[in-house]
């Protein structure tokens, strides 16, 4: 059976993709951000997942206001990105994992999550930037991807509690996949930011730090919030934290925080990073003293 190895939550700001493309990781502006990532890259090298379920929000590249699914899952053999206007490079296609996609779709629909199934899907910066960040030499790694898109563009948005429940169903689906593979869940978005309107530039550090704590040991403190309370606390785009709740739901039960990082600002956004493993699973073997990965 497949094993869910852990979950990574990370921001997906387009400027990060630009910094990677231009080799600016060590510039004074960027270094305090990029230095959060090596422990997670090292963990991924060690785990070497065969498949990655990417929970992210499309910003208008694949879905637009005319048709906006609340939850959508890709079931293609590969995914392309495209020019979104951010000046990001077009990347080689990302391999899919259609067998795992269809298993997730079957399992989620049986679990009463009526997802939109996409046999063609363009993936935007929220999918591509975190993959470039987490796998700097992606071409050397052969992992399939399953995109799971959650609507954060057009209200009504799904509630934090609903996203957490979706994540739980995704976790159950992964662990019932009848192939002996390791799977990692990556959630992208957040932390607090607002790109438009009167509060453009809004960042809420105390709320972000509260999220980084509560999501580990008390996710119900966050799933009890309404979507409008989340917008108020995190900003109109900070609402992307619902992806983090889905990833936390996938792990269910008690988890271990292996690493976290927080840096303000990157572009208009508070950049956050969290690596969680499920307790009692085989990845706890990485928690040896002296390793770069910190257990807290
Ligand atoms: C920015 C942040 C985002 O989450 C996004 O999707 C686009 C831009 C930013 O801060 O520039
Ligand atoms: Fe975004």
């Amino acid at each position: 059976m497949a094993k869910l190895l852990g979950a990574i939550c990370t921001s997906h700001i387009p400027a990060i993709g630009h910094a990677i493309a231009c080799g600016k990781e060590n510039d004074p502006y960027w270094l305090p951000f990029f230095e959060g990532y090596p422990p997670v890259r090292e963990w991924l090298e060690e785990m070497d997942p065969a498949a990655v379920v990417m929970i992210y929000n499309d910003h208008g590249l694949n879905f637009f206001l005319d048709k906006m699914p609340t939850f959508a899952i890709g079931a293609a053999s590969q995914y392309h990105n495209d020019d979104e206007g951010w000046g990001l490079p077009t990347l080689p296609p990302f391999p899919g994992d259609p067998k795992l996609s269809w298993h997730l779709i079957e399992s989620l629909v049986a679990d009463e999550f009526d997802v939109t199934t996409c046999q063609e899907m363009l993936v935007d910066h929220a999918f591509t930037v975190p993959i470039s960040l987490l796998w700097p030499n992606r071409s050397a790694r052969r992992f399939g991807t399953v995109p799971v898109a959650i609507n954060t563009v057009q209200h009504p948005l799904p509630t934090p509690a609903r996203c957490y429940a979706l994540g739980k169903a995704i976790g159950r689906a992964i662990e019932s996949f009848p192939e002996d593979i390791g799977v990692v869940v990556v959630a992208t978005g957040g932390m607090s930011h607002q790109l438009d309107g009167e509060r453009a530039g809004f960042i809420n550090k105390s709320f972000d730090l509260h999220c980084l704590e509560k999501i580990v040991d008390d996710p119900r403190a966050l799933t009890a919030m309404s979507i409008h309370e989340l917008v108020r606390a995190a900003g109109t785009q900070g609402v992307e934290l619902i992806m983090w709740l889905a990833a936390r739901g996938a792990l269910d039960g008690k988890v271990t925080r292996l690493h976290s990082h927080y840096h303000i600002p990157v572009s208009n956004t508070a950049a956050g990073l969290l690596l969680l493993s499920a307790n009692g699973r085989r990845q706890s073997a990485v928690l040896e003293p002296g390793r770069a990965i910190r257990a807290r």
Side-chain angles (χ1 to χ4, degrees), residues 24-33 263:
K24 290 186 176 167
E25 285 97 327
N26 292 314
D27 282 12
Y29 178 86
W30 285 107
L31 190 60
F33 166 76
H263 176 66

Side-chain angles (χ1 to χ4, degrees), residues 155-199:
H155 285 259
L157 312 186
T159 63
R162 184 69 175 153
C163 294
Y164 186 76
L166 173 75
K168 277 185 153 191
I170 289 173
R172 283 193 292 275
I174 291 170
E175 298 229 300
S176 66
F177 185 56
E179 282 186 17
D180 187 19
I181 59 167
V183 181
V184 166
V185 170
V186 175
T188 92
M191 298 186 85
S192 62
H193 63 299
Q194 173 144 345
L195 302 179
D196 46 26
E198 282 179 13
R199 291 201 308 171

